[in-house]
Amino acid sequence: MPEINIQKLTQDIIAAATGAAKAHAADLQQYVEAHAKIIAEGAKETASDRIQNKITDDDVRFAFDQIKESEATSLLAIEVTLKAAAQDAINAVISVAEAAINKAVGIALL
């Protein structure tokens, strides 16, 4: 029966975990980019309105507080995506370790 090569298994586990987590990177990037644009547009509009005296200093503070509150809820969506990436990485790690054990003992034990 073959022994488990710790160095190779470690490399395989890292590759599997990284690959699984990276699958969520595009979703996270799209989400962050969309919200960055919304924040930038809101900041520009607020500053422009203040410069043109359309709104007061208190209005600027209020508008910015609204932006912050809105983005606080987006944190939940980011957390969910990160948790999904972590779970997929853990599942990949377990799968690789399971396969290594099964191969080493010579049967599909796990």
Side-chain angles (χ1 to χ4, degrees), residues 7-109:
Q7 184 175 3
K8 181 176 179 341
L9 180 56
T10 301
Q11 290 172 347
D12 291 347
I13 286 172
I14 291 169
T18 303
K22 280 183 180 178
H24 295 275
D27 292 338
L28 186 58
Q29 182 176 356
Q30 289 173 355
Y31 187 83
V32 170
E33 287 174 354
H35 281 266
K37 186 174 181 181
I38 290 168
I39 292 169
E41 289 170 351
K44 179 181 177 182
E45 185 177 321
T46 301
S48 176
D49 287 350
R50 181 61 190 107
I51 290 167
Q52 296 173 32
N53 289 319
K54 291 181 180 179
I55 60 174
T56 66
D57 291 347
D58 286 338
D59 294 331
V60 171
R61 290 184 192 98
F62 177 77
F64 194 71
D65 284 344
Q66 293 300 107
I67 291 171
K68 289 191 301 187
E69 284 182 32
S70 173
E71 290 310 305
T73 60
S74 72
L75 178 60
L76 297 174
I78 291 171
E79 287 176 352
V80 168
T81 301
L82 292 176
K83 285 180 182 179
Q87 186 62 58
D88 286 353
I90 290 166
N91 291 344
V93 166
I94 290 169
S95 179
V96 170
E98 179 181 88
I101 291 170
N102 288 340
K103 183 177 179 183
V105 298
I107 61 170
L109 186 63

